[in-house]
Amino acid sequence: MNLFALLGLEGLVARWRSNVIEGAIAVEDRLELAGMEWADQKRRMLVVAILAIVTAGLTTIALFMFSMAVLVTYWDTPDRVTVGWILAGVWIFLWIVVLISLVLIARRAGDAFALTRRVLARDWKYVKDQL
């Protein structure tokens, strides 16, 4: 004999069981979403670290080449001047490209877990509305 059926609580127990199962599925989905966003964040941070290292290296080279171009400017032949300034310009251009890439990727890294935050905020609002 089912005690819940006798007391008329069978529907209540079924609703609670359904809510608990639905809640567990929702938590599992949120954890999976957070995991996917964490993988994206790690990839972005790796790219930022690599670009920072490349930027530091190119900055060193660019400053060295710029210094050499200034020294070559005061050397005797005009060909040395032209080559020195062209090389310095190329290194400075590459440095600017890498720096812009670093800034753009770093700005995108600031939006970490945006989707997870939005879903959790929506869930929290739903829970508050139900209470």
Side-chain angles (χ1 to χ4, degrees), residues 73-85:
T73 300
Y74 295 103
W75 222 335
D76 10 342
T77 65
D79 291 339
R80 290 182 186 164
V81 172
T82 305
V83 169
W85 281 108

Side-chain angles (χ1 to χ4, degrees), residues 1-99:
M1 199 183 280
N2 190 351
L3 182 62
F4 289 118
L6 287 174
L7 295 174
L9 299 174
E10 198 171 81
L12 179 66
V13 170
R15 280 194 308 269
W16 271 96
R17 183 175 294 147
S18 172
N19 287 339
V20 167
I21 290 170
E22 188 175 324
I25 291 170
V27 167
E28 189 176 89
D29 289 344
R30 282 13 174 223
L31 288 175
E32 185 178 343
L33 177 62
M36 290 187 311
E37 286 193 316
W38 176 243
D40 287 343
Q41 181 68 11
K42 284 193 307 189
R43 188 173 45 252
R44 269 190 239 115
M45 293 308 291
L46 177 65
V47 170
V48 166
I50 289 170
L51 286 174
I53 291 169
V54 170
T55 301
L58 286 176
T59 299
T60 303
I61 292 170
L63 290 175
F64 176 75
M65 294 305 295
F66 183 73
S67 298
M68 291 300 296
V70 169
L71 289 175
V72 168
T73 300
Y74 295 103
W75 222 335
D76 10 342
T77 65
D79 291 339
R80 290 182 186 164
V81 172
T82 305
V83 169
W85 281 108
I86 288 173
L87 287 174
V90 167
W91 283 113
I92 289 173
F93 173 75
L94 289 175
W95 177 77
I96 289 171
V97 168
V98 171
L99 184 64

Side-chain angles (χ1 to χ4, degrees), residues 109-120:
D111 290 337
F113 300 100
L115 186 57
T116 300
R117 285 193 310 261
R118 191 168 45 244
V119 168
L120 290 176

